[in-house]
Amino acid sequence: MFRNYIKIAWRNLWKRKLFTAVNILGLTTGLTCVAFLFLCVQQMLSKDRHHQHLERLYLVQTADAGQNVFPLLDVMLRDFPQVENGTRVNSWDAPWIAYKNKELSEAVTYVDTGFFNTFTFPLKYGHAATALKDKSSIVLSSEVAAKLFGRAPPLGKVVSFSDKRRFTVTGVMQPVPPNASLKPAILLWNKHLTDNPDFAPVANWYNNFTGTYVLLRPGASIAAVEQQLQKVVAARFAEGAKDRVLNLLPYKAYAEKHGQLNFDFYVYGLSCIAVFILLLVVINLVNLNMAVSFTRVQEVGIRKVLGSGRRGILAQFFTEVGLTVSISLLLAWGAAFMLLPVLNDQVSGLELTLPMLYSLPFLGMWLLTGALLTLIAGGYPAAYISALKLANAVKGKLQCAPRGMFSRHALIVVQFVIAVVFIAGSLVMRRQVQYMKEGDLRFNKAQVLTVSLDLGFKDTALARSGINHLIAQLQQHTAVQGVSTSQSVPGEFWENYNTYIPGNDINKEVWMRQTYIDNGFVPTFGIRLLEGRNFSPDLATDSNAVLINQAAMKALGWSSIENKTLHSKGGSEAFPVVGVTDDYHYRSLAGAVEPLIHFYGGTSSLKDGFHYLNISIQPKRAAAVVAMLRKTFGGIPAHRLFSYAFADAVFNEQYKRIEGIITLVNIFTTISVLIACAGIFALVALAAQQRTREIGIRKVLGASIAGIVTLLSKDFMKLVGVAILLAAPLAWWIMHRWLQDFAYRITISWWLLAGAGGIVVLIALLTMGLQSVKAALMNPVKALRTE
């Protein structure tokens, strides 16, 4: 019997090719989006779950900062009985690593010998107990090992660093899950740092720069550990750090608090989008099946006359819907398989893998979704049609109850509410990003050329001589208005902070971001000085002078910088404040301008820690300067290629992640509108079919095509209008909440919501118009020949 159901279902689907195509296309598109969204949410919710002892793994943090002082772990391992193991994690350098003729640059992660007992990073080659046994040992990720050695056995191979250090490979890690917060490429023992004379002065009880992770014993009291930590602060921390509050952050919450992605926004936002898309798919499927089912009333009547029961009729309808859903599930799975790399490119921070499509959670969700779609979309029209009276069914008559009309109208309203919310959200998000890109950054962003100096020069002396000579030439060039070298550039400032105290006022502390610049930075970037002066190479006293921004001055409570000095908390050296800069935006406009202190790094030249060469160029004269740069850098051997970009392009790189999100929202918006239009297409087709004789009579009596189109469309346009009225306040509330995360934000203008409604009206009119015109052009003789 089931075989016959399948055969009949296939014939019916094939007979109505247009409806079948619309049905499958809408389902496939919507389900593909649901698959992507489910994988994104699943990946974030399962972040770091590969660690075996995740429930006992903690980060020792200072207030909300994820870093701590370097010596702390030694004390915890020795004096804290609740601590089973632990490790410090430091990324100190990224030297070039070489094996024979292969070279690559990867960040080195310095860890303690308890690293593999604290975290779960299984080794593909080597043994965790001996992998970091001495200073000559190195552990590589599987990706780095593959680049250096290919398929050759890596253990025992000797690699060399660009600083002449040599190491023996004692371990290679298994591939690290893509959703891991910690993904080390190269591991070395922390003793490399402690034996370094330059490291000792900073590895004190004041400077916070180390990630400290501990594995607690089963049943250990968190409160007791935190109480002991405060005793350590009181007894051992430097004088300026005794007010710090240390606490334990569960590592399972690390990504939510310290990760690059806005965890709540991604999880809840993407989950809501998935629900909306799935709701659209269900509504669309119900509407299309209702439209098709009402054309089969006589078929149902004949089946009843021939002895078919309601159960058999329901089984046939469910089989047809189930077949449609099954085809769509297969097509959507294949589309997700092919488009997965595209999604990874669009959303920074997500690395979805093909094996995730074979995972049990995904397959379970996939089958459950298919079953629910079949049950909901097949059950409603099947139950309605199969319950028709036999006499009416044989005659092909429909009795559409007000309740049934209301439910279908409610469904179409819900569809267009979702569509309007998506369109309004897309418009607001794009407008916000455009506002941040075009905003006044209070520095010269258009005419400053930024060149990376982090090229891995093979001959440092040659590079220093060549680039310093280039800087002297640029300073004399008629097309150049200013030259500077700096540690950072706007949009690429490091997360480098410290606490500063004005003069001897120990009751006033200001947390400031700090950076090093030369005397050319301020004029090259066109940054305004509100008070005082710029650094001067002619004044020896400027070697320890600083510039602060206006936000720092406000935080300090100063009205003037005259005779003002600052010193770091815990430090004794006084830094005279010689100037106050405007609050130029050194980071994204998503955040407010924080207090900033500039240290003087000397005149413009290639020096350690300075990663950028900045050149202010006269408009339309950049080509000659770029040619000079290419010639100079082309003659300096380096591991990386010469690259440059204008300051506005460097700054706008910060918005790539949100632009990727907007691209996804645009895709989902387009899909939601298409699915909603497919649903209204089905309802207009149903209305035209139910009113075939009426349309024929009206045409015979002289009705125009425009009149018939209006007749068929006006009721649905009322529903679209209701949807717009309901969606406007909902869209405003959602986007208003989203905009609160931005320090500099747009106001949601009425025309953005009106524009979203207008787009929906135009698309709906086009969709209904095509079907209505088709019905209006029908030959009235055929329309009247119904019995």
Side-chain angles (χ1 to χ4, degrees):
M1 182 62 72
F2 181 70
R3 182 178 179 184
N4 289 333
Y5 285 149
I6 292 289
K7 187 182 297 183
I8 295 170
W10 180 257
R11 288 175 180 171
N12 286 330
L13 293 177
W14 186 255
K15 183 171 64 176
R16 293 179 294 274
K17 297 182 182 66
L18 176 60
F19 277 92
T20 301
V22 171
N23 226 340
I24 291 177
L25 181 61
L27 264 175
T28 301
T29 306
L31 288 172
T32 303
C33 294
V34 171
F36 283 149
L37 293 166
F38 178 84
L39 292 179
C40 291
V41 174
Q42 180 193 17
Q43 187 197 45
M44 284 181 283
L45 291 178
S46 62
K47 198 172 183 68
D48 296 319
R49 302 295 173 185
H50 61 282
H51 295 298
Q52 293 180 2
H53 306 298
L54 183 63
E55 297 301 320
R56 297 190 284 125
L57 186 58
Y58 292 84
L59 167 69
V60 185
Q61 63 174 5
T62 305
D64 289 332
Q67 296 176 322
N68 223 305
V69 296
F70 187 83
L72 178 63
L73 182 66
D74 293 331
V75 175
M76 294 185 72
L77 290 175
R78 185 181 66 244
D79 300 337
F80 286 38
Q82 302 95 331
V83 176
E84 180 179 309
N85 220 315
T87 183
R88 290 163 292 199
V89 175
N90 289 290
S91 294
W92 197 255
D93 52 9
W96 286 86
I97 180 173
Y99 176 74
K100 294 184 178 179
N101 61 341
K102 295 180 181 178
E103 287 184 303
L104 55 90
S105 178
E106 295 285 353
V108 175
T109 303
Y110 293 89
V111 298
D112 292 286
T113 54
F115 177 81
F116 290 110
N117 294 323
T118 305
F119 293 103
T120 302
F121 289 105
L123 294 185
K124 185 177 181 180
Y125 299 100
H127 301 284
T130 58
L132 293 172
K133 60 182 179 181
D134 54 46
K135 290 178 64 176
S136 65
S137 302
I138 187 171
V139 177
L140 308 176
S141 69
S142 57
E143 293 80 9
V144 171
K147 292 176 184 177
L148 289 175
F149 312 116
R151 296 184 178 181
L155 291 183
K157 296 287 194 302
V158 177
V159 298
S160 59
F161 279 11
S162 52
D163 57 8
K164 309 304 181 184
R165 288 183 291 172
R166 294 166 64 84
F167 301 94
T168 302
V169 178
T170 54
V172 174
M173 290 180 283
Q174 295 278 8
V176 178
N179 60 344
S181 296
L182 181 61
K183 292 187 282 188
I186 298 173
L187 293 176
L188 290 179
W189 190 13
N190 256 328
K191 192 168 176 54
H192 287 277
L193 297 180
T194 56
D195 288 349
N196 185 344
D198 296 330
F199 182 75
V202 297
N204 52 33
W205 287 94
Y206 179 81
N207 291 319
N208 276 353
F209 62 87
T210 298
T212 304
Y213 303 89
V214 294
L215 181 67
L216 299 187
R217 299 186 188 278
S221 169
I222 307 301
V225 175
E226 291 181 340
Q227 190 175 9
Q228 285 180 283
L229 285 171
Q230 290 312 121
K231 292 180 179 178
V232 173
V233 172
R236 295 178 177 272
F237 274 49
E239 194 60 36
K242 290 187 180 295
D243 58 346
R244 293 179 187 171
V245 178
L246 306 189
N247 56 70
L248 298 181
L249 175 71
Y251 192 72
K252 60 184 178 183
Y254 178 86
E256 184 173 350
K257 191 157 189 177
H258 297 294
Q260 294 181 347
L261 298 176
N262 186 325
F263 190 87
D264 288 341
F265 173 77
Y266 271 88
V267 171
Y268 298 119
L270 296 181
S271 297
C272 289
I273 292 174
V275 171
F276 285 154
I277 294 290
L278 200 56
L279 185 59
L280 284 172
V281 166
V282 170
I283 293 172
N284 188 55
L285 193 57
V286 169
N287 283 338
L288 286 171
N289 280 324
M290 286 293 289
V292 173
S293 299
F294 287 146
T295 67
R296 300 173 62 185
V297 176
Q298 287 181 316
E299 175 195 336
V300 171
I302 293 172
R303 283 177 176 271
K304 286 189 172 184
V305 170
L306 295 176
S308 180
R310 189 176 184 186
R311 182 178 296 178
I313 295 171
L314 287 172
Q316 183 62 55
F317 275 87
F318 275 120
T319 302
E320 291 182 20
V321 175
L323 184 59
T324 302
V325 171
S326 298
I327 293 172
S328 301
L329 285 171
L330 289 173
L331 291 176
W333 190 91
F337 188 89
M338 291 185 292
L339 295 175
L340 209 59
V342 178
L343 184 66
N344 286 333
D345 290 339
Q346 292 298 328
V347 183
S348 178
L350 288 178
E351 297 179 36
L352 304 181
T353 60
L354 294 179
M356 295 176 70
L357 290 170
Y358 311 116
S359 65
L360 287 177
F362 178 83
L363 292 177
M365 179 278 302
W366 208 232
L367 294 176
L368 180 62
T369 301
L372 290 175
L373 285 174
T374 302
L375 183 64
I376 296 171
Y380 182 77
Y384 182 81
I385 297 297
S386 64
L388 285 174
K389 294 180 180 180
L390 180 59
N392 290 333
V394 173
K395 293 179 181 179
K397 292 182 178 180
L398 288 174
Q399 294 178 343
C400 215
R403 183 179 175 184
M405 290 290 293
F406 175 79
S407 63
R408 291 202 300 277
H409 289 170
L411 292 177
I412 206 69
V413 168
V414 170
Q415 278 191 308
F416 277 95
V417 165
I418 295 173
V420 172
V421 170
F422 270 124
I423 293 174
S426 177
L427 292 176
V428 170
M429 292 177 76
R430 187 163 294 280
R431 184 76 185 87
Q432 173 63 23
V433 173
Q434 183 182 8
Y435 170 78
M436 291 191 294
K437 282 188 170 183
E438 296 177 355
D440 181 12
L441 302 180
R442 299 182 182 179
F443 68 86
N444 182 11
K445 63 180 181 179
Q447 306 302 331
V448 176
L449 196 70
T450 296
V451 180
S452 173
L453 297 178
D454 188 18
L455 302 182
F457 297 114
K458 297 181 178 180
D459 188 332
T460 306
L462 177 64
R464 195 180 305 276
S465 173
I467 292 175
N468 289 344
H469 179 67
L470 170 67
I471 290 172
Q473 288 182 303
L474 289 171
Q475 289 171 335
Q476 302 300 319
H477 201 289
T478 57
V480 175
Q481 298 172 318
V483 180
S484 164
T485 54
S486 60
Q487 184 185 63
S488 307
V489 292
E492 293 287 345
F493 269 56
W494 295 357
E495 296 289 331
N496 187 9
Y497 294 88
N498 204 350
T499 301
Y500 290 91
I501 298 172
N504 295 319
D505 187 1
I506 59 175
N507 296 318
K508 187 73 172 180
E509 298 179 0
V510 178
W511 183 250
M512 297 189 196
R513 190 187 291 246
Q514 52 193 14
T515 188
Y516 280 83
I517 62 175
D518 63 4
N519 58 293
F521 185 86
V522 169
T524 298
F525 279 96
I527 299 169
R528 288 194 309 145
L529 281 171
L530 303 181
E531 185 182 351
R533 59 175 176 81
N534 186 24
F535 294 125
S536 173
D538 299 325
L539 297 175
T541 54
D542 273 8
S543 60
N544 64 341
V546 296
L547 298 175
I548 60 174
N549 66 350
Q550 191 177 17
M553 188 168 179
K554 290 178 180 177
L556 291 164
W558 290 348
S559 59
S560 171
I561 61 169
E562 186 176 357
N563 299 322
K564 294 294 194 299
T565 61
L566 291 170
H567 68 270
S568 62
K569 187 177 181 181
S572 58
E573 183 178 7
F575 304 110
V577 181
V578 298
V580 180
T581 70
D582 191 8
D583 279 340
Y584 67 95
H585 292 277
Y586 56 85
R587 66 172 189 163
S588 164
L589 270 69
V593 178
E594 297 176 337
L596 174 66
I597 185 170
H598 309 77
F599 289 94
Y600 184 41
T603 57
S604 302
S605 61
L606 178 63
K607 56 178 73 73
D608 293 339
F610 276 40
H611 303 288
Y612 298 95
L613 169 63
N614 314 298
I615 309 159
S616 177
I617 307 175
Q618 291 181 5
K620 300 180 181 180
R621 299 191 63 183
V625 176
V626 171
M628 181 188 299
L629 294 171
R630 288 188 184 279
K631 181 179 179 181
T632 300
F633 280 93
I636 303 174
H639 291 96
R640 298 188 182 94
L641 295 176
F642 162 76
S643 64
Y644 69 92
F646 282 97
D648 57 348
V650 175
F651 192 86
N652 289 339
E653 278 291 307
Q654 300 173 99
Y655 303 124
K656 284 189 68 176
R657 178 173 291 122
I658 191 172
E659 286 180 319
I661 297 171
I662 291 174
T663 300
L664 284 180
V665 171
N666 288 340
I667 293 171
F668 297 142
T669 299
T670 304
I671 290 169
S672 69
V673 172
L674 290 176
I675 294 174
C677 287
I680 206 169
F681 173 86
L683 288 182
V684 173
L686 174 61
Q689 188 169 13
Q690 289 178 319
R691 305 174 75 170
T692 300
R693 282 190 296 172
E694 179 188 347
I695 292 171
I697 293 170
R698 287 178 178 273
K699 289 197 69 175
V700 169
L701 295 177
S704 65
I705 293 176
I708 293 174
V709 170
T710 303
L711 175 71
L712 293 173
S713 303
K714 64 180 182 180
D715 290 338
F716 297 107
M717 287 309 302
K718 292 177 183 177
L719 298 179
V720 174
V722 171
I724 293 173
L725 291 177
L726 293 175
L730 178 61
W732 181 90
W733 179 79
I734 292 173
M735 298 317 298
H736 177 74
R737 291 289 301 271
W738 178 75
L739 287 171
Q740 299 312 300
D741 290 336
F742 297 89
Y744 300 87
R745 53 184 177 266
I746 62 170
T747 55
I748 304 177
S749 303
W750 66 268
W751 62 265
L752 286 170
L753 300 177
I759 292 171
V760 167
V761 168
L762 289 175
I763 296 174
L765 279 174
L766 179 62
T767 304
M768 290 184 289
L770 291 174
Q771 186 64 29
S772 300
V773 169
K774 179 182 176 182
L777 292 175
M778 184 185 302
N779 189 330
V781 176
K782 292 183 179 179
L784 293 171
R785 193 186 301 160
T786 59
E787 297 185 12

